[in-house]
Amino acid sequence: MKPITFLGKLYLIPTTLGEMNPEDVMPQTIKRSIDFIDDYIVENDKTARKFIKSIAPDKKQAELRLSLLNKHTEVADYQNMIQPLLEGRNIGLMSEAGCPGIADPGAVIVKLAHEKGIQVVPLVGPSSILLAIMASGMNGQSFTFNGYLPIDASEKKSTLKQLERISFEKNQSQLFIETPYRNNKIFEDMLATLQPNTHICVACDITLPTEFIKTLTVNDWKKNKVDLHKRPCIFIIHKF
């Protein structure tokens, strides 16, 4: 008779969207999960440990086992990362900011967990994408997150026009992000490229004390100055 193998569970643990008190945005389920999980898959060792300490200060850092999942991680390493699950231990998957698997490399681990028959447990926490569409006044029933737009000026202009056209034809809000130090530049490009009556929502520093969320037409934005330099932002456009 073959012995029964108990698999661990993969917990998707949200993190804060910036420097703030986790208690302001995190439910108690996050702390309870961190209290009993010692194995983690994270993007950055230092920030992950800092977050864990802020949530569970009594947790012994020396007992934590962290695997790094980022752009330098080899596909061949994925199997080793989930090995604790196959041995019956739980793993916590953390994003650098926000919810794991949403605009985040963690999705590859979640996919692998499903393939191995491992239970995936998503925990509640802040998602800048969902919070932005909630607060935008745009179409929360049909929207697309497009990630980063092209850096090349002509390609970026073409993409903006394409997203504007799709938003009008499908009544679908179009979300995207930019590297924070390029925020002001892409916002200038949007104002120069999009039609005057197209709506733009700028949602930056979401959940932080400096939170700024505003939706205006292109024409009205040209009358309002805002500095978005090095502030994490979600941009949404919609031509109604």
Side-chain angles (χ1 to χ4, degrees):
M1 185 175 178
K2 295 179 66 175
I4 298 175
T5 301
F6 293 97
L7 300 176
K9 297 178 183 179
L10 179 63
Y11 286 81
L12 309 186
I13 302 177
T15 60
T16 55
L17 298 177
E19 293 287 339
M20 65 179 307
N21 184 351
E23 293 182 358
D24 290 342
V25 292
M26 296 293 176
Q28 283 299 305
T29 50
I30 302 296
K31 182 183 185 307
R32 288 199 294 268
S33 298
I34 288 176
D35 280 341
F36 68 78
I37 297 175
D38 293 324
D39 294 273
Y40 294 88
I41 298 174
V42 304
E43 286 188 73
N44 181 283
D45 184 287
K46 184 177 179 180
T47 54
R49 288 181 180 277
K50 182 178 179 180
F51 175 73
I52 291 171
K53 186 173 182 62
S54 70
I55 291 284
D58 295 330
K59 185 87 173 175
K60 294 181 179 179
Q61 292 279 322
E63 296 179 358
L64 299 177
R65 295 178 291 272
L66 274 58
S67 297
L68 296 184
L69 176 66
N70 51 43
K71 62 183 180 181
H72 303 296
T73 306
E74 300 289 341
V75 175
D77 294 332
Y78 297 165
Q79 184 65 41
N80 290 334
M81 288 184 175
I82 68 163
Q83 189 58 36
L85 294 169
L86 303 178
E87 296 173 358
R89 304 202 304 271
N90 298 310
I91 287 181
L93 175 63
M94 288 184 185
S95 171
E96 187 68 3
C99 297
I102 306 296
D104 167 77
V108 296
I109 298 298
V110 177
K111 179 176 181 293
L112 185 57
H114 283 296
E115 292 172 356
K116 299 292 184 180
I118 293 164
Q119 182 178 348
V120 177
V121 184
L123 300 180
V124 176
S127 165
S128 58
I129 295 172
L130 293 182
L131 292 171
I133 195 70
M134 285 167 59
S136 69
M138 295 185 184
N139 193 351
Q141 297 189 59
S142 181
F143 59 91
T144 297
F145 177 68
N146 298 279
Y148 293 92
L149 302 193
I151 295 177
D152 179 79
S154 61
E155 290 182 18
K156 182 177 7 178
K157 181 178 179 180
S158 176
T159 300
L160 283 169
K161 286 183 174 294
Q162 180 184 32
L163 295 181
E164 182 181 49
R165 183 174 65 255
I166 293 173
S167 73
F168 179 71
E169 293 175 350
K170 296 186 176 182
N171 187 28
Q172 185 181 78
S173 299
Q174 302 294 320
L175 294 75
F176 54 90
I177 55 176
E178 180 54 282
T179 304
Y181 70 85
R182 292 196 189 111
N183 280 341
N184 285 337
K185 180 63 173 70
I186 196 168
F187 191 55
E188 291 172 3
D189 293 339
M190 291 162 67
L191 299 185
T193 303
L194 302 175
Q195 297 183 24
N197 62 339
T198 293
H199 285 70
I200 298 175
C201 175
V202 176
C204 75
D205 295 342
I206 298 175
T207 73
L208 304 181
T210 53
E211 180 178 86
F212 175 85
I213 303 175
K214 200 174 191 66
T215 299
L216 295 171
T217 64
V218 169
N219 198 44
D220 286 336
W221 270 119
K222 289 179 178 179
K223 305 170 189 174
N224 289 264
K225 290 187 176 181
V226 57
D227 185 7
L228 307 175
H229 188 56
K230 291 188 176 180
R231 301 170 70 183
C233 289
I234 297 283
F235 297 101
I236 312 175
I237 62 174
H238 198 133
K239 178 175 169 55
F240 292 94

